[in-house]
């Protein structure tokens, strides 16, 4: 939970989904999202907001940079939904 989380308050939630070959952490660190979110936070635009970076990888060992090796996991994910 965020440092100042208060379960008695309503919070905005932003979900940012990463692309193929990335984990949620990679997406946040390597993209411009960290810089953008930090700036929005500094100017108080993210007040009472929780940002979520979900992932469909079961664990980090599944993350790879080869789209074709990643395809079976993505295909299996689509079948389950």
């Amino acid at each position: 939970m965020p440092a100042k989380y208060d379960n008695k308050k309503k919070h905005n939630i932003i979900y940012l989904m990463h692309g193929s070959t990335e984990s949620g952490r990679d997406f946040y660190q390597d993209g411009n999202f960290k810089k953008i979110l930090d700036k929005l936070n500094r100017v108080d635009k993210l007040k009472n907001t929780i940002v979520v970076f979900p992932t469909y990888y079961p664990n980090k060992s599944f993350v790879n940079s080869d789209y074709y090796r990643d395809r079976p996991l993505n295909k299996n994910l689509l079948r389950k939904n």
Side-chain angles (χ1 to χ4, degrees), residues 13-14 29 42:
I13 300 177
I14 300 172
Q29 292 288 3
R42 276 194 307 277

Side-chain angles (χ1 to χ4, degrees), residues 35-47:
K35 291 177 188 174
I36 291 167
L37 294 171
D38 285 347
K39 182 175 182 179
L40 289 171
N41 193 46
R42 276 194 307 277
V43 297
D44 212 23
K45 296 286 185 181
L46 291 178
K47 194 171 190 171

Side-chain angles (χ1 to χ4, degrees), residues 42-60:
R42 276 194 307 277
V43 297
D44 212 23
K45 296 286 185 181
L46 291 178
K47 194 171 190 171
N48 297 323
T49 300
I50 298 171
V51 182
V52 179
F53 292 85
T55 187
Y56 52 84
Y57 292 114
N59 63 52
K60 191 147 179 83

Side-chain angles (χ1 to χ4, degrees), residues 1-7 9 11 48:
M1 290 293 146
K4 296 180 181 179
Y5 178 75
D6 181 349
N7 66 357
K9 290 183 181 177
H11 292 76
N48 297 323

